[in-house]
Amino acid sequence: MDLNEQLAARQARARERMDELAIDVLLLSVGADLPYLTGYEAMPLERLTMLVLPRGGESILVVPELEAPRVEPRPGAFELRTWSETEDPIAIVAGLVGPAARSVAIGDQTWARFVLRIQDAVPAARMHPASVVTSPLRVVKDSTEVEALRAAAHAVDAVGAEMRGRPFGGRTELDIHREFSDRILEHGHERVNFAIVGSGPNGASPHHEASARVVNDGDVVVCDFGGTMDGYCSDITRMFVVGEPSAEVRDVYDLLVDAQEHAVRAATVGTSCEAVDATARRIIAAGGYGDRFIHRTGHGIGLEAHEDPYLVSGNRTPLEPGHAFSIEPGIYFPGRFGMRLEDIVVASDDGPDRLNAAPRDLAIVG
Ligand code: ZN
Ligand code: ZN
Ligand code: ZN
């Protein structure tokens, strides 16, 4: 199946889902749903780009005239409707939606400036988030998508392995962050999404932004990094320590490795998302650090770095073949240090397919 056929097949499945939900039209602008269904990513600008996908008709991509040269034609996936600087794209979209539409799904990340005007222009239609249509499709990755995720994972694996031979002590977090970013791009990613470098006490803040703090001897350093390669995301966390780790650091890390390993093995088809979370949590709690594991165990990954399915208490969704997600338990000591270990895993009939293979032991660096 070539990409055009693949896009047409995805749109056909979106239409089936719209049938089930009695949604007349799907409207997509910025965000990952649009490239998923058209192969085209909207420019995040004040000029509106919007796919109008009616349940029973042809898809039309409404695009500013000056951006039309960026659009690759996709026969069978959409027709192009360009708008010139003096036209009103909202009127064009409203015209394509039509006065009979009663139920419209619009991209979850569409800007309010467009959503509010579209709502005014089609007052009879009730609006829903597009994810009710697209999430059940996107959450199951096909083999092409799994291979794209695997390639992205291998690229950041190489970065993680290389950094084990690099000095950390005496450098600022920002300097190390820049090195991670450069290497992510060198290994084939088109974009760096984040490169968290949390040294010493900063590591206790799970989403810490790299700062001017100089990494000291004895510091534990959380490095959580990833980007986008051929449209699909990578996301990995590895732990570094400057010089010999203390017995406490070793013990906490051993517990974390054990929790992560068991959660990965638990991620089999049919197991609920919350059961995988509970597996990691049980082990960390038994080690005495239950209240230090302050976030969910993982998130789905694909065209977006965080998407369905979320491995969190309360999510009873059973894992299906093709579900792709992170498993990233963490243990945090405010004011002292933090630790997290993260790999991307795909649920499959042959068991959990762990995409990352970079060494997982504590990296002792200079
Ligand atoms: Zn995160
Ligand atoms: Zn991460
Ligand atoms: Zn993650």
Side-chain angles (χ1 to χ4, degrees), residues 112-183:
R113 66 191 294 171
F114 301 127
V115 176
L116 296 175
R117 289 194 58 211
I118 290 168
Q119 246 172 343
D120 280 347
V122 289
R126 199 161 157 222
M127 306 277 254
H128 304 270
S131 53
V132 298
V133 175
T134 56
S135 174
L137 309 183
R138 281 179 45 197
V139 75
V140 177
K141 272 71 183 176
D142 63 31
S143 59
T144 317
E145 293 182 290
V146 171
E147 289 323 304
L149 286 168
R150 194 187 308 278
H154 287 172
V156 288
D157 276 347
V159 175
E162 286 166 9
M163 290 305 287
R164 294 169 69 90
R166 298 285 301 142
F168 278 55
R171 298 171 68 186
T172 63
E173 290 177 351
L174 273 169
D175 182 41
I176 299 167
H177 158 90
R178 247 176 255 119
E179 181 170 357
F180 269 105
S181 302
D182 290 345
R183 287 176 188 266

Side-chain angles (χ1 to χ4, degrees), residues 69-92:
R70 298 178 62 244
V71 183
E72 228 179 289
R74 296 284 176 200
F78 60 83
E79 278 177 35
L80 207 57
R81 164 68 164 94
T82 59
W83 59 274
S84 66
E85 292 285 69
T86 54
E87 281 184 287
D88 177 11
I90 301 292
I92 294 168

Side-chain angles (χ1 to χ4, degrees), residues 96-322:
L96 292 169
V97 170
R102 289 292 167 269
S103 182
V104 169
I106 190 160
D108 294 34
Q109 292 162 46
T110 312
W111 295 1
R113 66 191 294 171
F114 301 127
V115 176
L116 296 175
R117 289 194 58 211
I118 290 168
Q119 246 172 343
D120 280 347
V122 289
R126 199 161 157 222
M127 306 277 254
H128 304 270
S131 53
V132 298
V133 175
T134 56
S135 174
L137 309 183
R138 281 179 45 197
V139 75
V140 177
K141 272 71 183 176
D142 63 31
S143 59
T144 317
E145 293 182 290
V146 171
E147 289 323 304
L149 286 168
R150 194 187 308 278
H154 287 172
V156 288
D157 276 347
V159 175
E162 286 166 9
M163 290 305 287
R164 294 169 69 90
R166 298 285 301 142
F168 278 55
R171 298 171 68 186
T172 63
E173 290 177 351
L174 273 169
D175 182 41
I176 299 167
H177 158 90
R178 247 176 255 119
E179 181 170 357
F180 269 105
S181 302
D182 290 345
R183 287 176 188 266
I184 290 168
L185 295 174
E186 275 165 26
H187 280 278
H189 282 59
E190 59 260 20
R191 194 158 67 214
V192 177
N193 295 333
F194 48 84
I196 294 171
V197 178
S199 65
N202 290 342
S205 165
H207 277 175
H208 171 71
E209 291 259 357
S211 75
R213 183 181 187 276
V214 176
V215 178
N216 292 314
D217 223 28
D219 275 354
V220 172
V221 188
V222 179
C223 296
D224 183 348
F225 47 100
T228 305
M229 192 164 117
D230 290 328
Y232 284 81
C233 292
S234 60
D235 186 4
I236 182 173
T237 307
R238 288 295 183 265
M239 291 304 310
F240 297 77
V241 60
V242 185
E244 273 308 309
S246 67
E248 180 197 25
V249 165
R250 279 205 185 280
D251 286 349
V252 171
Y253 192 65
D254 286 348
L255 181 67
L256 187 62
V257 169
D258 193 40
Q260 203 250 7
E261 183 65 38
H262 279 83
V264 169
R265 285 194 214 148
T268 53
V269 168
T271 303
S272 71
C273 290
E274 69 173 6
V276 178
D277 177 80
T279 299
R281 212 162 289 284
R282 199 180 307 120
I283 291 167
I284 291 173
Y289 298 110
D291 58 343
R292 306 264 179 224
F293 179 15
I294 54 174
H295 53 70
R296 65 191 175 213
T297 293
H299 54 82
I301 189 168
L303 291 166
E304 289 180 281
H306 289 188
E307 58 181 47
D308 283 328
Y310 292 96
L311 305 188
V312 63
S313 170
N315 185 1
R316 302 213 167 87
T317 312
L319 292 174
E320 282 178 48

Side-chain angles (χ1 to χ4, degrees), residues 1-13 36-37 77 142-145 232:
M1 209 176 350
D2 70 13
L3 182 58
N4 291 348
E5 290 166 338
Q6 204 169 32
L7 295 170
R10 287 174 182 173
Q11 289 191 23
R13 272 185 291 143
Y36 182 73
L37 292 176
D142 63 31
S143 59
T144 317
E145 293 182 290
Y232 284 81

